[in-house]
């Protein structure tokens, strides 16, 4: 049975319920996650609270040394971690390796904390008086993670938080906790003092206990929009800082001057990569002009039909399964309702999947998508390509901006003027020009807008310093009252 990590020890959960961890490629039971209680959360928070004073006083250049060592350990164990991700999540080994690489980049960037958290100083704000603004760690922070990036998403947060001098509690997704547990073992091997980093497993009960706990200063959440909203409201009500990243609906626009073959390939990869289980996954492709309308559906359908679906551990696999039978059923339901609403079936990803073990879907391509359809409005989180048309770039921008979500969007074009107009006018906070997954790297900050992001300070990069520190100002005047100089 899986254990919590409290004060440097793997410790039994007090929860009596559990959730099965299932290999989605085979349907086999891997392990069971205990559903932790408020008692477990409190034990982790008390350990983190007790570790905070000494950790805060540890010079920042010493605080980042375990992270430098962790980087080396992560590099040495990257293949094993990727395999673990594929086993518990299902994505291909290549995709899993890419996500481990992104996690390592978070650690590398957090190692720059001595420079990142420097403050400002100004002499003579009045005669003989100097003022300094500093950034100070605040205490215990927590993050709550989704299932789709078992290694990377928790690492968007805790390396930055602890480098800044805070202590931390991670609540991984109950469906994929194993990879992050291995990262914790590596962090312990790297010499992080006990209590600085803790882990509690569970679901709603643990999440609600985190949001309510009086000794947690702030919460970072990533997951679906309804839960993101719930966490934002309940943690803020308890007086905490909150950054809450939610679901998405990402549009990709193709102009007729785009490099068509590359646009089709990039858009398809964006939509079906990680079996569509990415908050940055493209969804509806809006074609504008004769060439885009003629070429993109044909190119995308041909490429989608050639995708090899299978166990992510096999080198021959292009796309793995979705996470669960419930997820597969939900996606199948959305496809059927789209067809009932008049969508055209160009590639049927339902063909032959019921004979496969696990939770497989092949890429489905739907044409004739209109803005009012459910599938054009709601997040699918599965490998479904939707093809639509618009009369002008401004009409596609209106479509994007009318969506309640605002994570990302992309324009494929060779026109700088069109790219500039699009970037300027769209509301999603992460924009790609000829880039299918415009995910900011570790040294930039990550987060969407509207229903895709609740809060005002985004994840990782410089924003993480704002989120994980309190700024304060001291004003000094030194009166000469002796004759020693
Ligand atoms: P989820 O909302 O079901 O779960 C996320 C976390 O919330 C888990 O740790 C889970 O234990 C907890 N949780 C679930 N239900 C809860 C409830 N009722 N009350 C309190 N806590 C609860 O999300 P998921 O299915 O794990 O992940 C997929 C979603 O995450 C998608 O919508 C995707 O777009 C989103 N996501 C967003 C980003 C982003 O950066 N915006 C990144 C990754 C994933």
């Amino acid at each position: 049975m899986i254990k919590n990590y409290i004060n440097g020890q793997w410790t039994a959960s007090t929860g009596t319920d559990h959730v099965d961890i299932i290999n989605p490629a085979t349907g086999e039971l891997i392990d069971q996650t205990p559903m932790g209680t408020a008692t477990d959360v409190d034990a982790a928070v008390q350990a983190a609270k007790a570790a905070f004073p000494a950790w805060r006083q540890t010079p920042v250049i010493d605080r980042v040394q375990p992270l430098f060592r962790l980087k080396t350990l992560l590099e040495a164990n990257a293949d094993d971690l990727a395999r673990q991700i594929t086993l518990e999540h299902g994505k291909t080994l290549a995709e899993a390796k890419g996500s481990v690489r992104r996690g390592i980049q978070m650690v590398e960037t957090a190692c720059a904390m001595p420079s990142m958290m420097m403050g400002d100083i100004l002499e003579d704000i009045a005669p003989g008086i100097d003022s300094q603004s500093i950034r100070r760690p605040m205490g215990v922070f927590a993050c709550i993670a989704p299932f789709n990036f078992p290694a990377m998403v928790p690492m968007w947060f805790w390396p930055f938080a602890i480098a800044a001098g805070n202590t931390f509690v991670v609540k991984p997704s109950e469906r994929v906790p194993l990879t992050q547990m291995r990262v914790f073992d590596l962090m312990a091997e790297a010499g992080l003092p006990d209590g600085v980093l803790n882990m509690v497993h569970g679901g709603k009960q643990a999440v609600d206990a985190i949001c309510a706990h009086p000794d947690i200063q702030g919460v970072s959440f990533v997951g679906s929009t309804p839960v993101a909203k719930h966490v934002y409201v309940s943690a803020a009500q308890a007086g905490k800082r909150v950054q809450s990243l939610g679901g998405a609906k990402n549009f990709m626009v193709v102009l007729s001057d785009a490099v068509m073959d590359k646009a089709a390939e990039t858009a398809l990869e964006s939509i079906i990569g990680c079996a569509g289980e990415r908050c940055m996954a493209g969804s509806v492709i809006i074609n504008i002009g004769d060439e885009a309308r003629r070429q993109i559906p044909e190119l995308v359908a041909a490429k989608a039909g050639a995708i090899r679906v299978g166990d992510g551990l096999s080198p021959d696999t292009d796309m793995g399964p979705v996470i669960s039978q419930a997820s597969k059923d939900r996606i199948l339901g959305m496809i059927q309702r789209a067809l009932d609403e008049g969508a055209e079936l160009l590639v049927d990803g339902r063909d032959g999947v019921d004979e496969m073990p696990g939770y497989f879907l092949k890429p489905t391509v739907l044409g004739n998508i209109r803005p009012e359809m459910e599938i054009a409005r709601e997040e699918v989180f599965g490998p479904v390509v939707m093809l639509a048309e618009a009369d002008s770039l401004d009409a596609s921008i209106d479509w994007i901006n009318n969506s309640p979500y605002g994570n990302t969007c992309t324009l494929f074009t060779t026109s700088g003027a069109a790219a500039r107009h699009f970037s300027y006018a769209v509301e999603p906070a992460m924009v790609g020009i000829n880039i299918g997954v415009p995910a900011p790297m570790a040294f930039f900050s990550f987060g969407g807008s509207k229903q895709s992001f609740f809060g005002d300070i985004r994840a990782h990069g410089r924003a993480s310093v704002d989120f994980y520190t309190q700024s304060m100002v001291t004003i000094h005047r030194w009166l000469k009252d002796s004759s020693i100089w």
Side-chain angles (χ1 to χ4, degrees):
M1 185 61 111
I2 283 177
K3 293 185 171 172
N4 295 331
Y5 188 75
I6 295 174
N7 204 26
Q9 300 294 323
W10 291 107
T11 309
S13 170
T14 64
T16 48
D17 294 340
H18 65 261
V19 163
D20 291 343
I21 306 166
I22 293 180
N23 178 340
T26 62
E28 285 162 5
L29 181 70
I30 300 177
D31 211 325
Q32 294 186 312
T33 307
M35 300 305 273
T37 62
T39 307
D40 296 327
V41 169
D42 187 55
V45 174
Q46 294 313 327
K49 192 179 171 188
F52 175 64
W55 187 240
R56 177 193 166 189
Q57 287 167 36
T58 304
V60 61
I61 197 67
D62 295 336
R63 288 201 302 258
V64 296
Q65 295 309 315
L67 290 169
F68 277 111
R69 292 192 287 273
L70 176 66
K71 180 233 173 358
T72 307
L73 288 167
L74 288 169
E75 297 281 4
N77 290 276
D79 287 350
D80 284 350
L81 288 164
R83 195 180 155 77
Q84 182 65 69
I85 291 170
T86 298
L87 285 173
E88 66 180 340
H89 173 275
K91 65 183 73 184
T92 66
L93 267 182
E95 291 167 340
K97 280 180 193 170
S99 72
V100 171
R101 172 67 38 213
R102 286 264 177 171
I104 292 172
Q105 288 162 356
M106 299 298 152
V107 174
E108 291 168 346
T109 305
C111 284
M113 196 54 73
S115 304
M116 285 169 83
M117 74 183 288
M118 274 183 191
D120 298 312
I121 186 162
L122 187 64
E123 284 183 335
D124 291 323
I125 56 163
I129 299 178
D130 307 329
S131 183
Q132 58 182 4
S133 162
I134 61 164
R135 293 183 170 279
R136 181 178 270 187
M138 295 170 64
V140 182
F141 279 83
C143 81
I144 299 157
F147 78 84
N148 61 333
F149 283 97
M152 178 186 79
V153 167
M155 293 166 81
W156 283 355
F157 305 110
W158 65 256
F160 296 95
I162 66 171
N166 303 285
T167 54
F168 209 86
V169 178
V170 173
K171 209 281 311 156
S173 166
E174 61 275 32
R175 295 191 265 181
V176 295
L178 298 165
T179 310
Q180 198 62 207
M181 292 174 75
R182 294 185 70 163
V183 174
F184 267 50
D185 279 335
L186 296 176
M187 191 73 250
E189 197 180 328
L192 191 71
D194 291 348
V196 173
L197 187 60
N198 305 273
M199 180 182 291
V200 175
H201 297 287
K204 180 171 172 50
Q205 209 183 333
V207 169
D208 288 349
I210 287 171
C211 293
H213 201 293
D215 291 324
I216 294 180
Q217 303 298 321
V219 176
S220 304
F221 173 88
V222 184
S224 60
T225 289
V227 185
K229 216 183 274 186
H230 165 70
V231 165
Y232 181 66
V233 169
S234 54
Q237 207 157 31
K240 302 184 196 323
R241 291 185 172 189
V242 198
Q243 48 181 195
S244 204
L245 288 74
K249 186 75 192 173
N250 304 318
F251 297 86
M252 313 182 90
V253 178
V254 186
L255 292 183
S256 280
D257 68 347
V259 180
M260 289 299 165
D261 196 60
K262 192 69 188 160
E265 180 187 312
T266 305
L268 181 68
E269 198 289 321
S270 169
I271 296 171
I272 63 144
C274 297
E277 292 174 331
R278 289 193 288 207
C279 69
M280 300 296 283
S283 183
V284 181
I285 302 176
I286 306 175
N287 294 308
I288 297 173
D290 291 344
E291 280 310 300
R293 289 174 187 203
R294 189 174 64 79
Q295 292 195 47
I296 291 293
E298 214 169 279
L299 287 167
V300 168
K303 289 173 194 296
I307 295 293
R308 297 164 302 174
V309 173
D311 191 323
L313 292 178
S314 161
D316 296 332
T317 295
D318 299 319
M319 190 181 94
V322 296
I323 188 72
S324 64
Q325 185 63 45
S327 205
K328 179 175 168 178
D329 291 343
R330 186 182 51 74
I331 297 161
L332 288 171
M334 289 186 87
I335 294 171
Q336 190 53 53
R337 288 193 293 282
L339 296 174
D340 295 344
E341 286 183 272
E344 186 187 352
L345 188 59
L346 300 177
V347 177
D348 192 350
R350 304 168 297 181
D351 262 358
V353 290
D354 287 342
E355 292 86 68
M356 300 173 77
Y359 315 123
F360 288 97
L361 283 167
K362 295 176 186 166
T364 293
V365 182
L366 300 173
N368 197 27
I369 296 298
R370 296 183 312 278
E372 65 277 11
M373 292 174 169
E374 176 206 36
I375 206 157
R377 289 182 284 110
E378 298 301 330
E379 183 174 39
V380 178
F381 228 55
V384 182
V385 181
M386 284 151 269
L387 293 162
E389 296 180 353
D391 292 336
S392 66
L393 183 57
D394 282 333
S396 73
I397 291 169
D398 284 347
W399 190 346
I400 292 167
N401 289 349
N402 283 331
S403 168
Y405 298 102
N407 220 37
T408 176
C409 60
T410 286
L411 177 68
F412 294 98
T413 185
T414 50
S415 160
R420 201 274 174 181
H421 179 65
F422 182 83
S423 309
Y424 191 83
V426 292
E427 291 173 355
M430 296 178 278
V431 177
I433 303 297
N434 300 312
I435 298 288
V437 181
M441 292 190 71
F443 27 92
F444 287 91
S445 295
F446 188 109
S449 63
K450 305 201 285 187
Q451 299 285 303
S452 299
F453 180 74
F454 303 93
D456 46 13
I457 304 178
R458 291 181 165 73
H460 62 68
R462 284 184 201 281
S464 67
V465 181
D466 290 334
F467 192 75
Y468 291 124
T469 61
Q470 169 91 50
S471 69
M472 62 171 292
V473 170
T474 54
I475 302 177
H476 295 221
R477 171 163 58 193
W478 295 95
L479 300 175
K480 187 167 186 301
D481 63 350
S482 78
S483 55
I484 57 169
W485 54 277

